[in-house]
Structures are given as structure tokens and as C-alpha cells.
Amino acid sequence: MSETASKTLAAPAREPDAGRWKALVFIALAQLMVVLDATIVNIALPSAQQDLGISDGNRQWVVTAYALAFGGLLLFGGRIADLWGRKKAFVVGLGGFAAASALGGAATNEAMMFGARALQGVFGALLAPAALSLLAVMFTDAKERAKAFGIYGAIAGGGGAVGLILGGFLTEYLDWRWTFFVNIPFAIVAAAGAYFVIREPEGGRNRSPLDIPGVILSTLGLVALVYGFTRAESNGWSDSLTIGMFVASAVLLLSFVLVESKVKAPLLPLRVVTERNRGGIYLSLGLAIIAMFGLFLFLTYYLQIVKGYSPVKTGFAFLPMIAGMITGSTQIGTRLMTRVAPRLLMGPGFLVAALGMLLLTQLEIGSSYAALLLPAMLLLGLGMGTAFMPAMSLATQGVEPRDAGVASAMVNTSQQVGGAIGTALLNTIAASATTAYVADHIAGATSRSQQQLVQLEAMVQGYTSAIWFAVGILVVAAAIALTFVNAGRPGGTPVASSSGEGAADEVQIPVVAH
């Protein structure tokens, strides 16, 4: 590690800090906007599809265009933040995201809508890593860092559910176009605040020449991976193009790793991911997001189709999960992070979330919201909030300042890819179980009402089958966190990073819908 970089991490960092808490408000606002956008559009999709004449076959591109651009360009966005400076990348990302949102809200046909969503993804990929890496370089004191990442973790975890509520209100009482226009004031306030308040520490830029082969291979590899899972959801796992996408992704990403190990200034320095703690974080966070994204999808359908809730009522039904996430992140995680090792928050956190998920395997058509869904969502929120908070912090703790953007991008990448995998994988499991249930029971249903009942029972059976897999995935995430993450608590025994980057680079403490 260079002497300048060591000083940046080791120094008390007075400069950034007059306004660092104000800066956190604007960074959190931008993060909320990006996370909201992942779910708010899902609620508005049926109305937008009807207005713009989008076919059933093409409607998935409203979600897929965003996911491909965002997931594929995250590493590139993180590297640009390291090269330009995080503040500049953050403000440019916000401006571009607002312009793309205005274009989406004003869309008059499907091509304009798909283009706007892809542009949102491009600027989101610049904005998200810049936001997280700004926190990483601005908050260096252990206790302050715990509070800052507690707030950030709560927003990253709970923002998706807030999007369901806001999307329901805007679609039901205004118009679907407002689910896009609502981003504009968020972006303007966050960009103006960031411009005047954030003062990025000196000496943290990575001015090495851009690794063009790395950019091309990583972008194409991640796009192929995300598209493979998205296509599997709609066309099945045996579809030739789906299989081709997975093969292409494996070849491209393997080539990317080989290139990164050889080039002088890699896009993703392998030291960022091979360090034991960060590797464990990226893996466990990605797995947890797989479970979470599938659950959002199933509970939304269960509440609206089986229970007959309106979009707004469905959004409010998710409030206990948001409350649990905020409590787990800002109260449990923040208070304990400076006292216990991060794995002792992450492992139990994922297990508590798994317990909440386990309750949901008991779902039936007539299940009581208060008796089953409410406690399950509280446990899920508490567990995820407690685990996310140290994960977010540790993922960027101890990296050299010049790598902060790309380390932050890896957190977002694990969340984005996890979301794509979760939606496709769990949806496929649910669909197979539903089809099997209908085949076994439909013969005995003679009247139309009995057939409708079998259809609903089959749907719930599909959800519970997939939720069992989600329980297993969370248990594996907990095992990975407990096994791989061995960093000590702040002020405890430091764990040096595997790259041997000097005393100032010690890791002393500690991913996501999209």
C-alpha cells in the first residue's frame, strides 16, 4: 500500500468531517431512490403495459433492460468512481438517473420505455458504487462507521418494500408515470446536497489506465449471466438460448479472471475478492438476496391474488418487514458491531431470517395475517437488518482507498446477480410445484368453484415449496458467514488482509430490489 493511501486510512480524517453526517443524508437518499426503483416499477407494470401497448412477451423487458444494464456495468461504474472521484461519479450518476426517469415517465411506446429503463440501469451502475464507497472513505471511526452503515443497511434492505407501498399509492391514486417522475425530486435534492456538502478525502483516486479488456469481458459476462436467469424464468432451463447464455457467461467470466491476474492495472484487483472476509461477504450476501427477492415476489402475489389485497394494502402489509430491518440494522447491528465480531451478527442474523422464512412454509389459503405473516415478516426483517449492516461495512473495510469504488461495486453486483437468480430460480420451483399439484388434484374438482379452489391451493403449494428452498439458502448463507468471516471487532484483534497491504489496511470489522 502506498504511503499516501496509508495516511488516508490511518489519519483521523478531520477534513471530510464537518459535513459527513449531512453527506450521509444525501447518500442515503440516493440509495433509497435506486433501491425503490427496483420494486416500484413492478407495481406499475400492468398499467404501463396497457397504456403503451406492450405485449405479454415483451413486458419482462421493462424489468430486464434495467437489470442487464445495472448488473452488467456495476464493476465498470465502480472503477469509474475510483478514477473520476466518487463525488463526481455520484453527482453525474444522479443527474443521468433523473433524466432517464423523466424519459421513462414520458414514454409513448415500448421502445422508448425499454431505452429509458436501460439508461436508468447505466446511471444506477455509476451511482450505487459511488454512494457506498463515499461512506467507506468518509467514515473511518469505528463507532461512527457502525451508525452510518446501520442507516445505509436499513435503507438497502427496506427500500424495496417501501417501493411496494409508494408504487401502490402512485399507481392507484395518480398514474403509473409518477413511479418514474418521483425519482426526479429525489435526484435533484441528493445531487445538490452532495455537490455542496461532500468533501471527498484526498489521495484516494486510482488514476491507472482503464482496463478495457476487463471492462468488455466483465460486462458481457455479467449481462449473459443475468439474462440467462431472466430467460430461464420465462422460457425454461432447457431452452437452448438459456443454456447458451450460461455457457457464454462462464467462458467470459473465467477469461475475465485470467485477464485480471495478468494485467498491470486490473478493473477488479483480485486482492479485493480473494481476501477471506470480503469473499465470504459477497457470497453470503448474494445468497441471502436470492432468498429475499423470491419472497417479495411470492408474498406480493399471495396477498393480491389469494387474499385479494389492493396494491396499497399489499404495500402496507410489508411494513413489519421494514420495521424489523430498520430495528435490526440501526439498533441491534449498530449497537453490537463495536462489541462483537461481525460473523456473530451475520450468522445468527441469517438464521433468524431463516426462522421467519420457515414460518412461511406453513402458508395456506386461509392463513391469518396477524398470526403467521406478521411474525414471519418481523423475524425476516430483524434477521436481515442485523446481518446486512456489518456485511455492508466489512465489504469496504480495509480496502485501499483506490479500490473502494470497485469493492463497493462488488457488493452491489452480488445483490444484483442474487436478485436475478432468486427471481428466476424460486419462481421456476414454485411453477413446477403448482403444475404438479394441479395435475394431481384437478380431476376431483367437478364444479367451477372447486377448480378455482384447486388453482389457488396449487399456487400456495408452489410458494411454500419454493420457500423451503429459500430457508435452505439462508442456512447456507449463515454457515458461509460463520466460516469465512473471521475479522475481529473494532478495537479487538485486527485481521490483516490477505494481500499483505500494511498496518493501516487492517480489517477490524465488518450486499439486496435491485
Side-chain angles (χ1 to χ4, degrees):
M1 184 190 234
S2 71
E3 192 180 336
T4 312
S6 295
K7 283 178 183 171
T8 307
L9 277 181
R14 278 183 212 147
E15 286 255 12
D17 308 307
R20 68 192 176 286
W21 290 106
K22 288 180 192 170
L24 175 63
V25 173
F26 300 115
I27 292 168
L29 190 64
Q31 173 65 10
L32 180 62
M33 180 187 74
V34 172
V35 177
L36 278 177
D37 198 71
T39 49
I40 199 170
V41 173
N42 291 342
I43 296 278
L45 187 52
S47 307
Q49 182 185 354
Q50 194 175 354
D51 273 11
L52 299 178
I54 302 172
S55 69
D56 283 350
N58 283 343
R59 71 180 172 190
Q60 62 155 333
W61 284 101
V62 176
V63 175
T64 305
Y66 178 84
L68 290 180
F70 190 68
L73 292 169
L74 271 165
L75 282 176
F76 183 42
R79 179 67 179 83
I80 291 293
D82 287 335
L83 184 67
W84 285 358
R86 285 119 211 154
K87 176 177 172 177
K88 184 177 179 182
F90 184 71
V91 173
V92 170
L94 280 165
F97 200 91
S101 298
L103 191 65
T108 53
N109 55 51
E110 61 178 35
M112 194 170 165
M113 170 60 78
F114 300 156
R117 289 292 284 159
L119 268 179
Q120 278 187 311
V122 169
F123 287 105
L126 182 62
L127 172 61
L132 185 53
S133 57
L134 274 170
L135 282 192
V137 297
M138 291 179 80
F139 289 89
T140 50
D141 175 75
K143 287 191 176 178
E144 287 194 346
R145 186 180 175 90
K147 286 179 188 170
F149 276 90
I151 294 163
Y152 187 88
I155 289 168
V162 175
L164 295 171
I165 299 173
L166 191 57
F169 263 107
L170 294 172
T171 305
E172 209 164 307
Y173 298 117
L174 289 172
D175 184 74
W176 65 265
R177 295 181 185 278
W178 283 97
T179 60
F180 286 90
F181 293 145
V182 75
N183 289 331
I184 298 169
F186 272 101
I188 290 170
V189 171
Y195 184 79
F196 291 110
V197 170
I198 291 176
R199 287 190 296 167
E200 192 178 342
E202 292 295 320
R205 289 204 195 173
N206 184 344
R207 299 183 188 274
S208 307
L210 203 54
D211 167 24
I212 301 298
V215 169
I216 294 168
L217 288 169
S218 68
T219 302
L220 291 178
L222 287 170
V223 163
L225 183 64
V226 174
Y227 184 55
F229 277 106
T230 306
R231 190 174 171 84
E233 187 186 352
S234 55
N235 294 67
W237 296 91
S238 58
D239 174 68
S240 57
L241 186 55
T242 301
I243 295 166
M245 282 292 141
F246 286 133
V247 172
S249 171
V251 171
L252 287 162
L253 292 176
L254 187 61
S255 304
F256 171 66
V257 172
L258 289 172
V259 166
E260 297 311 274
S261 65
K262 306 283 185 197
V263 296
K264 190 176 177 184
L267 172 70
L268 174 63
L270 295 183
R271 62 180 174 266
V272 171
V273 288
T274 53
E275 197 278 311
R276 176 176 177 155
N277 290 283
R278 282 191 288 276
I281 296 281
Y282 299 144
L283 197 52
S284 61
L285 204 55
L287 286 168
I289 294 290
I290 288 175
M292 278 295 284
F293 260 70
L295 184 77
F296 273 143
L297 187 74
F298 299 143
L299 281 187
T300 303
Y301 277 105
Y302 174 79
L303 292 169
Q304 289 194 24
I305 296 172
V306 179
K307 304 296 271 187
Y309 284 22
S310 69
V312 172
K313 192 176 177 184
T314 300
F316 275 107
F318 279 98
L319 275 177
M321 193 185 292
I322 300 171
M325 279 185 174
I326 291 170
T327 305
S329 196
T330 61
Q331 299 304 311
I332 302 171
T334 301
R335 289 173 191 275
L336 294 181
M337 195 173 105
T338 53
R339 299 177 189 178
V340 301
R343 69 177 176 276
L344 299 180
L345 288 174
M346 289 179 64
F350 288 138
L351 288 175
V352 168
L355 184 61
M357 202 75 87
L358 190 63
L359 286 179
L360 290 173
T361 61
Q362 307 307 305
L363 265 186
E364 293 173 356
I365 289 179
S367 291
S368 158
Y369 177 83
L372 181 68
L373 287 153
L374 178 65
M377 284 205 251
L378 274 173
L379 285 170
L380 267 163
L382 275 172
M384 287 296 197
T386 302
F388 271 25
M389 190 256 149
M392 290 284 184
S393 180
L394 184 56
T396 52
Q397 177 84 8
V399 294
E400 295 187 37
R402 65 197 174 101
D403 294 335
V406 82
S408 303
M410 275 302 298
V411 179
N412 289 287
T413 302
S414 66
Q415 290 178 313
Q416 192 64 28
V417 172
I421 294 171
T423 307
L425 180 65
L426 296 181
N427 217 23
T428 307
I429 293 165
S432 302
T434 298
T435 306
Y437 188 92
V438 170
D440 289 346
H441 295 81
I442 200 71
T446 51
S447 67
R448 183 170 174 78
S449 61
Q450 284 178 324
Q451 288 172 352
Q452 286 176 332
L453 184 63
V454 167
Q455 292 285 355
L456 288 176
E457 285 172 345
M459 199 180 288
V460 176
Q461 178 68 29
Y463 300 158
T464 54
S465 299
I467 288 168
W468 272 111
F469 275 85
V471 172
I473 290 167
L474 282 171
V475 170
V476 173
I480 289 170
L482 289 166
T483 307
F484 281 81
V485 179
N486 66 349
R489 65 181 177 80
T493 307
V495 179
S497 87
S498 61
S499 54
E501 285 153 355
D505 204 21
E506 290 164 347
V507 180
Q508 295 186 323
I509 43 173
V511 247
V512 209
H514 336 25

